[in-house]
Each structure stands twice: as structure tokens, then as C-alpha cells.
Amino acid sequence: DCVSNMSALTSIATGTTSNTDLAGIVTTTNGTVTYTFAKANASAPICTAANTTDNNTNFQVTTTTTSLTITHGGLTAHTFYYICIRRT
């Protein structure tokens, strides 16, 4: 199982430079951006994001079974790195 094999895990990779359901880079337009998952999930995945545009931590990450949405208070474009983990 995953827990017993964690000592052998040395890295996690998406295998592509494109956005995936595991990780990616998105840019907001008018304060929001939505990434639609390639495959719907049985339950909403756990996702986190980092604002790479500035040090502003005032943003919200929300998920559904089909998408990830990042919202921040500004109207200027902000770029975010995201990582999502499926729970099924």
C-alpha cells in the first residue's frame, strides 16, 4: 500500500509540462481562474496553491468533483502554482 512504500518514494512527477489534475500553473483573469479536471472525481480533491506574482496570501482555493477555482481580490492577473491530491 501507499503508506508502506513511502520510504521508496523519491519524487512525484506529472510526466508532462502541461497542466494536469495533479499539478499546474494557472493565471487569473479579473480575479479568478478555473481549471477543469480531465477526469471527474468521486469526491472533491484536496488542493493547495501558491501565488507566484506577489506575496499576497489573500486568495481562496475551492474544489468540486470536476474543477479547481482560485479567486483573489484584485483585478490584475496573478499566476498560481497548484497541487491537487485525489481522495479516492
Side-chain angles (χ1 to χ4, degrees):
D1 67 21
C2 182
V3 174
S4 63
N5 291 324
M6 289 300 280
S7 62
L9 183 64
T10 59
S11 68
I12 298 173
T14 63
T16 180
T17 58
S18 300
N19 289 347
T20 68
D21 291 0
L22 174 62
I25 303 169
V26 292
T27 302
T28 61
T29 303
N30 295 322
T32 191
V33 62
T34 298
Y35 170 78
T36 302
F37 298 124
K39 180 180 177 185
N41 298 283
S43 59
I46 299 168
C47 297
T48 189
N51 182 346
T52 64
T53 302
D54 56 32
N55 292 328
N56 187 347
T57 58
N58 187 21
F59 62 91
Q60 181 178 13
V61 177
T62 55
T63 59
T64 67
T65 58
T66 59
S67 66
L68 156 74
T69 300
I70 302 170
T71 306
H72 67 86
L75 295 180
T76 59
H78 281 68
T79 300
F80 292 85
Y81 293 163
Y82 70 86
I83 296 176
C84 295
I85 305 295
R86 291 177 59 184
R87 298 186 294 152
T88 57

